[in-house]
Amino acid sequence: MELPVNAFKHAIAAGRPQIGLWSSIPSNYTVEVIAGAGFDWILLDTEHSPNDLESVFSQLQAAAGYPQTSAIVRVPWSDQVILKRYLDAGVQTVLIPFVSTAEEARAAVSYTRYPPKGVRGVGGTTRATRFGRVRDYTKHVERELCVLVQVETKRGLDEIEAICAVDGVDGVFIGPADLHASLGYTGETGNPDVLPLIDDAIRRIRAAGKAPGVLTPVESLARRWLDCGALFVAVGADVGVLARGAEALAQRFKA
């Protein structure tokens, strides 16, 4: 049995923009609903949601029936043990939060690589190996593994080129909310003093030969950042779609 092809990794490497949806609801049922909606990727979040490894495991199984949509997992932290467990569960693309230096990026990549390139522990009959059925998994997994690091601080912005230069980093995701907070605008995601910095960061990431990513539910900002060169853009979130859609429906009858 061969490794599944990571369509998302190959698309961003080829410079094809990928449109995604954030998913924070810890349910395999809702993931199956949105996986069939037509997005190029969905982000299963375990940093700012009640998701854990067990719920993500079932979400990956639910999404597997929709191969046109790639499942990405944001782990809660850049941690060797956490990453090992999610990779063993079959995650092919990981988003690693709060990376502010090249050293932190190198550490994050090392957690996804087997020795001698890294420190990932070797498991045998895991879901990632199709329970031992993938031929020479440890030798070939890197080919289809995609590592995205999240820059969300002023220091991270300053070190974007150094972070992009780290071997094994496929893309750099700009986290607007925490970046705003780092710059003194906590609670904002569209401050006019910060937006040009995000524009510039996206252009710098592309110039460095890596794929830029970002999240915004504001259509004008999503299109702005696609025009800047962003290659993976989440244009909404399942919680937001549910909350705002439910509110709008209620208001149509309550007004």
Side-chain angles (χ1 to χ4, degrees), residues 154-165:
K154 173 64 165 58
R155 185 177 184 186
L157 284 186
D158 293 342
E159 299 207 21
I160 274 182
E161 282 76 14
I163 291 170
C164 288

Side-chain angles (χ1 to χ4, degrees), residues 15-61:
R16 297 196 301 272
Q18 302 291 286
I19 304 302
L21 185 74
W22 218 254
S23 177
S24 298
I25 299 173
S27 165
N28 56 342
Y29 193 82
T30 55
V31 164
E32 186 168 4
V33 171
I34 63 175
F39 291 98
D40 298 307
W41 57 281
I42 55 175
L43 188 289
L44 308 179
D45 190 21
T46 72
E47 184 189 14
H48 289 295
S49 82
N51 262 335
D52 57 19
L53 179 61
E54 187 172 357
S55 58
V56 166
F57 203 103
S58 66
Q59 290 171 333
L60 293 171
Q61 292 171 322

Side-chain angles (χ1 to χ4, degrees), residues 15 18 23 41 64 72-73 79 82 107 109 111 120 122 175 194 223 248:
Q18 302 291 286
S23 177
W41 57 281
I72 300 171
V73 172
D79 178 89
I82 290 171
V109 172
Y111 303 151
R120 179 182 173 186
V122 181
V194 178
R223 296 191 182 281

